[in-house]
Amino acid sequence: MIRKLGALALGVLLLAGCSDSSSAPLGDPEPGTLRILAGSELADLQPVLDEAARATGVTVKFTFTGTLEGAEALANGSVDGKYDAVWFSSNRYPAGIPEAAKRLGNQVKIMSSPVVLGLATSVVQRLGWAGKPVSWGEIAAQAGKKAFSYGMTDPSASNSGFSALVGVASALAGAGNAIDARQIASVTPQLTQFFSAQALSAGSSGWLSDAYTRRASGQDPGQKVDGLINYESVLLSANASGKLPEPLTLIYPSDGVVTADYPLTLLSDANSDARSAHQRLSDYLRTPDVQKRIMETTQRRPVVPGVALGQQFAARDLVELPFPATQQAMDALLQAYFDKIRRPSRTLYVLDTSGSMKGDRIDSLRSALAGLTGADNSLTGRYRRFRSREEVLMLPFSTRPSGVTTFTVPEQNPAAELARIKAFAEGLPASGGTAIYDSLSQAYRDLEPLQARDPDRFTSIVLMTDGENANGSSLADFQLTFGTLPPSVKRVPVFTVLFGEGSSDELTQVATMTGGKVFDGRETQLPDVFKEIRGYQ
């Protein structure tokens, strides 16, 4: 889960390292407890950490965050006094930011997993790639022909997506050195070709894998995709789950990959108790037996010499691609991806402006939308804003839905259009009743001609309400309406935001039925929730 770090004290997701699920405040460490800011994919280590707690006396308490959020927390000092260590899939991004790098202390690599392409086995056979070396260039060429489709995480939200972007860009540049800001323009045409085949985006590797599984098995109406770019461990776990109608064949590009090395990293200001706990835990996790246990539990590779790879790892010796050495290069690559390379988005916001939103709630909604226009200049805000070429549609509602207002952010000189969106958001009123399902049905009707005219966009609906439906049609009525939609429109997911007294059960049903996701705005600030949703659009 992605959280804005300024609100971590409100929105943390804690996992105890042993059976005790209670937790002291982040600023009040307990003896034998290691407070770790971590990537959410590390939740699968829980069985190993339970055993570690019994063996070492070290209890891990996780707070999960995203890649950029973690780097930002290090850079702005949000970690100071709240955490003893960070544990991301890689330290490459924060290490490129001087203010973040200075807070990184002793780093111990625990496991590894390369980011690779997994395609349904029948697709690999159709492409003629079975048992043959395939380069990123060949993959990009076939992607440009739409010979296959794939899902990938948002590179500003998840390290797997960022590593994939770095890997393909570095390989296509072919310079043998880390790609720099000047080289990005030269590979933009090939990158655009490659990413034209991306049909699914997500803010986390786990949700991406689950969404792929649901679509492959026909459990949600979203467009089926042929495969995923993700951690090797995620792809192997998907195969081992038995839930896929067809196994994935993993493609390890012959010109190289970017590998996550999961360094358990002590913060530079950690006290002596934390340093001792970090040492004991690191030593334990690197013992041969525990390395095997991690491999079996998480499908990640051991990093300790002499621990044999399991049979599931078909590729043994991998070429490692160089990673950009500066924040400037990394930021230039992300900027090019969102504003030039990636398929553009179409986002329709269905916004509750009923009387119950008066006061702080409508102010929070206005602030959330204004932040997406560039008003939020934080590290995460720069990449979770409205993007060039994006269509932004606003559908406020109260007793009934209002008309939709459409904005299109131009690739050149977007400031004027972003200012129009900001002015619209700041002028949202708050009065009347709450017609959730009339408004959601209207949203799908408004999207139908747009999808028919321009289907090649990442299209989604964001539904935000602070109350229960009080006017117009019911959830059951909407479910009937949804069933009659054309397939291309039915594939549009709804990302629902729990806020105020909104019905958790009904909003969950809407998200599940449409292939979307529920986001909780009751404890996390609404502007941060809206930024989180951007990773899925």
Side-chain angles (χ1 to χ4, degrees), residues 3-37:
R3 295 285 186 263
K4 180 150 187 342
L5 272 297
L8 278 172
L10 295 175
V12 296
L13 174 58
L14 295 172
L15 275 174
C18 59
S19 58
D20 178 13
S21 61
S22 64
S23 63
L26 288 176
D28 184 20
E30 299 173 357
T33 297
L34 203 59
R35 304 164 300 168
I36 303 179
L37 183 64

Side-chain angles (χ1 to χ4, degrees), residues 118-130 147-149 212 216 224-227 239 244-251:
L119 289 175
T121 299
S122 61
V123 176
V124 173
Q125 293 170 344
R126 171 168 54 79
L127 293 168
W129 290 351
F148 68 93
S149 62
Y212 173 81
K224 290 186 179 181
V225 293
D226 296 317
N239 280 343
L244 297 179
E246 180 181 8
L248 294 166
T249 293
L250 274 58
I251 306 294

Side-chain angles (χ1 to χ4, degrees), residues 114-119 129 132-144 148 150-152 160-174 187 190-191 193-195 228-231 235 250-259 319-322:
V115 174
V116 299
L117 171 64
L119 289 175
W129 290 351
K132 296 181 180 179
V134 181
S135 70
W136 280 116
E138 292 174 277
I139 294 170
Q142 292 299 320
F148 68 93
Y150 64 88
M152 189 187 90
S160 63
F162 188 50
S163 295
L165 176 60
V166 167
V168 67
S170 299
L172 292 175
V187 296
Q190 284 176 285
L191 288 173
Q193 186 182 48
F194 177 79
F195 286 107
L228 296 174
I229 296 178
N230 212 325
Y231 296 118
L235 303 177
L250 274 58
I251 306 294
Y252 298 83
S254 56
D255 36 3
V257 296
V258 173
T259 300
V319 177
E320 190 68 21
L321 288 166

Side-chain angles (χ1 to χ4, degrees), residues 481-506:
T481 299
F482 184 79
T484 67
L485 294 173
S488 62
V489 182
K490 194 181 293 186
R491 294 190 187 112
V492 175
V494 178
F495 298 113
T496 60
V497 180
L498 296 177
F499 193 64
E501 294 77 42
S503 171
S504 173
D505 179 63
E506 289 197 359

Side-chain angles (χ1 to χ4, degrees), residues 250-308:
L250 274 58
I251 306 294
Y252 298 83
S254 56
D255 36 3
V257 296
V258 173
T259 300
D261 54 11
Y262 295 95
L264 177 53
T265 305
L266 192 71
L267 293 178
S268 57
D269 66 350
N271 62 33
S272 58
D273 287 342
R275 292 177 184 276
S276 174
H278 175 267
Q279 186 69 57
R280 297 200 308 275
L281 180 61
S282 300
D283 289 346
Y284 173 82
L285 294 175
R286 285 175 60 89
T287 59
D289 285 347
V290 178
Q291 288 277 289
K292 291 178 184 177
R293 175 84 165 105
I294 291 172
M295 182 169 56
E296 294 165 356
T297 302
T298 72
Q299 305 292 332
R300 298 188 186 99
R301 297 179 178 226
V303 294
V304 173
V307 179

Side-chain angles (χ1 to χ4, degrees), residues 199-200 207 211-225 444 459 482 487-494 511-516:
L200 177 63
W207 191 87
Y212 173 81
T213 300
R214 291 193 303 271
R215 292 188 181 193
S217 57
Q219 295 177 23
D220 79 37
Q223 176 186 348
K224 290 186 179 181
V225 293
Y444 275 105
T459 302
F482 184 79
S488 62
V489 182
K490 194 181 293 186
R491 294 190 187 112
V492 175
V494 178
T512 301
M513 178 176 63
T514 63

